[in-house]
Amino acid sequence: NSRDLGLDEVLHLRLVFPPHQPQGSLRARSSEARRIIMSAPLSKELREKYSTRATPIRKGDEVKIVRGSAKDTVGKVNKVYRKKFVIYVDSVKTAKSSGQEVQVPIHPSNVQITKLEMTASREAILARK
């Protein structure tokens, strides 16, 4: 509140945190930070097996969509697009006005991982959790 602070403190805060720029902007995140943000919850069976609730999503994982227009659709992750914070699932497509089929972007929080694409590095990560 500007009444509780002196003019110098208010000006300092305006310079440090401009009002038009949110402090924790997603656009400024590195690819490594975006990987963590793009985590998806695991199915109940995988949750019990690996003792973890969520894990970063990877290409090749099998997912079930739990929210949105494609709810209850099961498919394989084709692409993880970290720049736009979306994933593309092979079974979720829509038709353009020209008739061409395009994939629909889905946020990872709207899916549930049902089968993990296991690699040596991923096994090591899950073993640490």
Side-chain angles (χ1 to χ4, degrees):
N1 194 345
S2 59
R3 288 184 222 152
D4 299 337
L5 301 173
L7 183 60
D8 291 338
E9 288 97 0
V10 172
L11 291 176
H12 172 71
L13 289 174
R14 294 263 182 206
L15 291 173
V16 175
F17 303 116
H20 62 281
Q21 289 181 338
Q23 195 172 347
S25 176
L26 291 176
R27 287 175 284 151
R29 302 293 172 102
S30 65
S31 182
E32 294 81 11
R34 287 170 189 251
R35 175 182 167 271
I36 301 302
I37 292 169
M38 294 183 66
S39 292
L42 297 175
S43 66
K44 288 187 179 179
E45 298 82 27
L46 292 177
R47 199 180 303 172
E48 290 172 8
K49 183 177 179 182
Y50 295 110
S51 306
T52 186
R53 188 170 183 81
T55 188
I57 200 155
R58 284 191 185 182
K59 180 180 176 180
D61 289 345
E62 283 188 21
V63 296
K64 176 184 177 187
I65 299 169
V66 294
R67 295 281 184 275
S69 59
K71 186 176 180 176
D72 296 327
T73 306
V74 178
K76 207 169 200 177
V77 177
N78 276 349
K79 186 175 185 177
V80 178
Y81 200 160
R82 289 186 187 170
K83 186 175 181 181
K84 292 188 176 183
F85 293 99
V86 296
I87 62 170
Y88 294 100
V89 179
D90 60 1
S91 59
V92 182
K93 296 182 181 178
T94 188
K96 290 170 64 172
S97 59
S98 64
Q100 180 185 6
E101 281 197 338
V102 292
Q103 291 186 320
V104 177
I106 302 166
H107 194 271
S109 65
N110 296 329
V111 302
Q112 186 177 54
I113 300 174
T114 56
K115 185 177 176 191
L116 293 168
E117 179 76 20
M118 291 306 285
T119 60
S121 62
R122 198 169 209 183
E123 284 178 15
I125 289 168
L126 289 170
R128 286 196 305 259
K129 287 189 173 184

